[in-house]
Amino acid sequence: MPSAISLNGSPLVPLHRGQDLLGAILDAGLSPMYLCMAGSCGRCRIRVSSGQDALTARSSAEEFHRCVGDHRLACQARLAGEAEIHVHQPA
């Protein structure tokens, strides 16, 4: 099964091992909220509703922004395994 990601119920788009979620979402032409792409601002916070186990461990930036449970920063979370990832971000 090739890995893929969906933002707010969008059609699934490709996601490659090692790729950050924000990059995959932007490559697909979707419009997530973000500013810095480095974990500094915390603006790309998402809620992962499925596929959390296939992501890398939380980064220090995510710990700084208190991303706990199913919350991650899309610019920091990377695919570590194969999965279908569904994420949500408020408008």
Side-chain angles (χ1 to χ4, degrees), residues 46-66:
I46 55 172
R47 183 178 55 83
V48 180
S49 61
S50 70
Q52 179 82 270
D53 293 343
L55 300 178
T56 54
R58 282 183 174 71
S59 68
S60 58
E62 289 175 298
E63 290 176 9
F64 176 80
H65 288 288
R66 295 188 173 106

Side-chain angles (χ1 to χ4, degrees), residues 10-40:
S10 70
L12 289 165
V13 297
L15 177 63
H16 306 287
R17 187 181 304 258
Q19 185 177 23
D20 65 83
L21 303 186
L22 180 59
I25 292 166
L26 291 171
D27 287 350
L30 301 175
S31 300
M33 292 184 287
Y34 72 98
L35 289 175
C36 72
M37 299 181 78
S40 300

